[in-house]
Amino acid sequence: GGIIIFDHKGNFLKRISSGQGPGELNCLYDIDYNEEDSTLIAYQHSSFLFFSAEGKFIRNEKLPFGFYNFLVTPNGYLFKTIDKYDNPHLDKYMDYTFLVTDKDFQIKSVGIPRQPLGKVLSGYHYLYKNSHDIKITHYYTDTIFQYLPLSNTLKAAYILDYKDKKLPDSYLDGKSWEKFEKATRDNNYYFNIGEYLETDSQNVFYLKNEYIRLQTIVYRNKRTGHLLGGTNINIDLNQMPPIGFPKTTAGNYFVSLHYSNEKDSLLSNSTTLSERDKLIIKNMKEDDNPALIFFRLKEF
């Protein structure tokens, strides 16, 4: 896919399209923005492509190893590989899935050893950044790590407690996909799918339960430690548009999407939305691009 750049007011600036030419993207995996020098970095297979904030192509840099996603830091980069992604040329570092490098891609530190999930289960890792707070998660495991750049260390920030509904480790041996599928389909087990979001005041954890055939979202208030959530979102459609699960964060806000909906007329008397927001939603047409919704939960 390509990259579409907008300014902070939502005005279209440029589309970086898919293609084979200089500055075009032929296999896009991940992007990040370097606030130190105002450059957009796109990761396509085996290369970093550098663009200005407005989308002007600057240069291409070849990468010395494979990975799944990355983040920019003031001193270099953080990389997350996939459990099954082999980097045999890294020698003693090849069995680690978290790599810290300088700007020249020289490895300075490693962490999170490869998970022994076998050949039939995939062990994806994910990186999340909100301002300077960086978290690392892993499919199936219940630990959410925090990266501390000043000391260049990892710590376990949160450990999810599923009580008696946690998927037993014996089903994660990776020897049989059928065994794993049957266990999760026939039992009321939860497991972490690696997706996670965090604002200054709240966390969001995403769990999966094949038995009830639903993905579950759990919000946590950092100050009180209270949890709320589940498989249903309790929203008054006379006050708020249907927003579904948040997609990302911006400062202390969760960010979701809203597509034009036949029930949008109900929002004309909302006490939650501003008059400007009501006008934006009122003027949306069925084939318009979605609107970004910034929201945060009240104290709970």
Side-chain angles (χ1 to χ4, degrees):
I3 298 172
I4 303 176
I5 302 174
F6 300 86
D7 65 18
H8 285 288
K9 294 183 179 180
N11 298 312
F12 172 79
L13 295 180
K14 184 172 182 178
R15 178 184 180 93
I16 304 172
S17 60
S18 178
Q20 301 286 336
E24 293 183 323
L25 305 163
N26 60 20
C27 193
L28 180 65
Y29 285 96
D30 198 13
I31 61 173
D32 196 24
Y33 186 73
N34 186 354
E35 296 184 7
E36 304 291 321
D37 62 4
S38 299
T39 56
L40 172 68
I41 305 174
Y43 165 44
Q44 66 176 28
H45 184 60
S46 76
S47 295
F48 269 170
L49 273 62
F50 293 80
F51 300 88
S52 71
E54 296 77 27
K56 182 180 178 181
F57 177 60
I58 300 173
R59 70 183 188 277
N60 184 323
E61 288 192 21
K62 211 65 169 154
L63 297 164
F65 45 75
F67 55 94
Y68 185 66
N69 55 358
F70 78 100
L71 287 176
V72 179
T73 67
N75 300 316
Y77 304 99
L78 306 179
F79 295 99
K80 288 304 291 95
T81 68
I82 306 174
D83 272 1
K84 295 180 183 179
Y85 206 123
D86 291 327
N87 283 304
H89 61 290
L90 297 184
D91 298 324
K92 62 181 179 180
Y93 298 139
M94 67 173 287
D95 288 328
Y96 291 90
T97 61
F98 180 69
L99 309 177
V100 181
T101 76
D102 60 18
K103 293 295 185 184
D104 296 320
F105 310 116
Q106 297 298 308
I107 295 177
K108 299 299 180 182
S109 184
V110 298
I112 310 183
R114 189 183 301 257
Q115 296 292 319
L117 295 178
K119 295 181 178 180
V120 298
L121 296 180
S122 179
Y124 289 99
H125 293 72
Y126 302 90
L127 292 170
Y128 297 94
K129 179 173 69 174
N130 190 354
S131 298
H132 297 292
D133 188 61
I134 297 171
K135 294 294 194 299
I136 301 101
T137 65
H138 183 191
Y139 210 98
Y140 301 128
T141 63
D142 55 5
T143 303
I144 295 176
F145 294 97
Q146 180 170 7
Y147 176 66
L148 306 174
L150 293 180
S151 59
N152 193 29
T153 56
L154 287 173
K155 74 169 186 178
Y158 305 101
I159 298 179
L160 306 181
D161 184 0
Y162 309 131
K163 300 296 185 185
D164 56 346
K165 292 190 176 182
K166 180 181 178 181
L167 177 68
D169 290 342
S170 59
Y171 294 115
L172 296 172
D173 59 13
K175 295 178 180 178
S176 169
W177 172 256
E178 289 74 18
K179 174 183 174 183
F180 170 81
E181 189 177 40
K182 187 176 188 305
T184 54
R185 186 183 64 240
D186 297 347
N187 297 277
N188 194 13
Y189 292 138
Y190 285 91
F191 57 92
N192 179 24
I193 61 174
E195 294 181 17
Y196 172 79
L197 293 174
E198 180 172 345
T199 67
D200 298 339
S201 58
Q202 294 161 352
N203 318 77
V204 176
F205 306 94
Y206 295 83
L207 308 177
K208 196 161 191 178
N209 188 317
E210 298 288 6
Y211 180 78
I212 59 176
R213 297 286 194 275
L214 288 170
Q215 179 175 318
T216 301
I217 184 171
V218 178
Y219 290 93
R220 176 180 178 272
N221 187 309
K222 290 183 180 180
R223 188 183 67 80
T224 64
H226 293 162
L227 303 173
L228 66 84
T231 53
N232 296 308
I233 301 174
N234 185 19
I235 292 177
D236 183 349
L237 295 182
N238 294 299
Q239 293 293 329
M240 283 283 289
I243 54 177
F245 293 157
K247 306 294 184 182
T248 186
T249 58
N252 205 29
Y253 288 92
F254 297 109
V255 184
S256 187
L257 300 173
H258 173 68
Y259 292 86
S260 179
N261 188 286
E262 68 273 6
K263 296 182 179 179
D264 284 348
S265 59
L266 299 176
L267 298 169
S268 60
N269 297 318
S270 171
T271 59
T272 301
L273 300 177
S274 68
E275 293 304 314
R276 175 182 177 273
D277 289 339
K278 292 178 187 177
L279 186 61
I280 290 173
I281 292 177
K282 180 181 178 180
N283 291 333
M284 288 183 68
K285 301 179 179 62
E286 186 176 348
D287 58 349
D288 278 350
N289 292 322
L292 292 179
I293 303 290
F294 292 76
F295 72 95
R296 57 186 176 190
L297 302 183
K298 295 179 180 179
E299 284 283 298
F300 58 90

